[in-house]
Amino acid sequence: MYFKPLIAVIIFLASFYFSNAGSNEEKYLKLKKLFDEGRYEDCAFKAENFTYNENLKKDPEPHLYLSKCYFELSKMPEKSELYPKAFDDAFKYASKSVKYDKEGTIKKEEANFYDNLKQAGISYAENFFKSGNYSKTAKYLDKVLKIDEEDNYTRLTKGICDVLARNTGEGSMEMNTALNSLNSNNTISTSELSQKLLANAFIKYSEYLTNNQLKDSAQGTIIKAKLLLPEQQVLKNL
């Protein structure tokens, strides 16, 4: 006599599970629709709610749309007071989307977005570099590396900036990791902006070595820079 209620409960739970699982794609299409309509705050609100769901919080899509929304909001001066950390949040959620994208499908489909965010991060870091704030430069390059850990040109620049900011332990480690990879593959696969920043970082690093009575190492640094970045005019003039 207890079998019928038990079976009914099992059927209900099973139907709920499969209907909920099957609706995820539809939910994420709603996020896309909101984003495409420019309703970034609504999109971010819904995406964030998904991240609180135990079954969805490790899906890359909610984090992707949070990143895309915050990136767009960071470009709006009228929203800066309401979302002062929008730019940083764009990177925070982008790194999570990459982390949870185990097959790399999302990163491939959204390659243009990730590249645009990455270039914005490098440009932002360059502003700190020009003002001599090497610690902040390294901080934002680290954010870039969390969405593209294979960009060893950016890793090398970060390492140099770490050293210039007196974080020599981490800086040396980053530089060695990047140089070992670049030495085995000299194909330039990074943006002009990234190359330009690295070239200027090499020059500052050479000056740093010279000031520390390491002139031979300074000269070797410029030679290495020219080999890695043969088209950078700022290096050709040295």
Side-chain angles (χ1 to χ4, degrees):
M1 61 183 296
Y2 295 105
F3 288 115
K4 287 186 177 179
L6 180 60
I7 291 172
V9 170
I10 292 172
I11 291 174
F12 171 77
L13 291 174
S15 64
F16 175 81
Y17 172 80
F18 286 112
S19 64
N20 188 58
S23 66
N24 288 350
E25 184 177 349
E26 182 180 342
K27 289 175 182 175
Y28 298 148
L29 285 175
K30 288 180 180 178
L31 291 181
K32 183 180 186 304
K33 185 174 185 293
L34 288 170
F35 181 82
D36 289 345
E37 291 174 352
R39 296 168 61 186
Y40 305 126
E41 290 164 299
D42 291 340
C43 181
F45 178 77
K46 286 186 176 294
E48 187 173 27
N49 281 338
F50 289 146
T51 67
Y52 298 140
N53 185 311
E54 284 296 319
N55 296 322
L56 305 176
K57 67 180 183 180
K58 290 189 177 180
D59 283 0
E61 290 89 349
H63 301 284
L64 168 70
Y65 278 101
L66 274 166
S67 178
K68 294 178 75 169
C69 289
Y70 279 121
F71 188 38
E72 293 304 319
L73 290 169
S74 74
K75 302 174 187 177
M76 302 177 178
E78 68 275 17
K79 299 290 184 179
S80 61
E81 188 173 338
L82 193 57
Y83 304 102
K85 296 183 178 180
F87 192 64
D88 285 8
D89 284 341
F91 279 95
K92 180 176 79 172
Y93 289 108
S95 67
K96 287 187 176 183
S97 70
V98 170
K99 176 183 176 181
Y100 295 137
D101 183 22
K102 302 299 185 183
E103 303 299 323
T105 306
I106 299 296
K107 191 172 182 182
K108 186 176 181 180
E109 291 175 352
E110 296 285 344
N112 286 339
F113 163 69
Y114 286 113
D115 187 59
N116 288 337
L117 180 60
K118 176 182 169 181
Q119 297 310 313
I122 293 172
S123 179
Y124 198 65
E126 185 183 35
N127 291 331
F128 288 113
F129 182 86
K130 288 178 178 178
S131 67
N133 191 334
Y134 304 120
S135 178
K136 278 290 186 74
T137 306
K139 174 185 174 182
Y140 279 92
L141 293 180
D142 187 56
K143 293 179 186 293
V144 169
L145 288 170
K146 285 179 179 176
I147 61 175
D148 186 4
E149 63 180 13
E150 296 180 1
D151 185 351
N152 284 295
Y153 288 88
T154 295
R155 188 175 301 283
L156 182 52
T157 308
K158 177 190 177 293
I160 292 174
C161 289
D162 279 326
V163 172
L164 294 175
R166 300 295 190 269
N167 186 4
T168 53
E170 182 170 349
S172 297
M173 182 180 67
E174 293 279 45
M175 290 173 68
N176 288 333
T177 299
L179 286 170
N180 287 337
S181 177
L182 291 171
N183 286 336
S184 63
N185 180 15
N186 286 327
T187 302
I188 294 179
S189 57
T190 193
S191 67
E192 174 65 23
L193 177 61
S194 183
Q195 292 179 55
K196 177 185 172 185
L197 182 54
L198 176 56
N200 286 312
F202 266 126
I203 293 171
K204 286 294 182 182
Y205 184 54
S206 176
E207 293 172 358
Y208 165 84
L209 292 171
T210 299
N211 292 336
N212 284 275
Q213 310 304 315
L214 297 168
K215 291 185 178 181
D216 288 345
S217 295
Q219 291 175 351
T221 294
I222 295 302
I223 292 171
K224 184 64 179 178
K226 289 181 177 181
L227 289 173
L228 285 174
L229 304 164
E231 300 303 317
Q232 288 300 303
Q233 190 61 46
V234 68
L235 295 173
K236 291 180 180 180
N237 296 333
L238 298 177

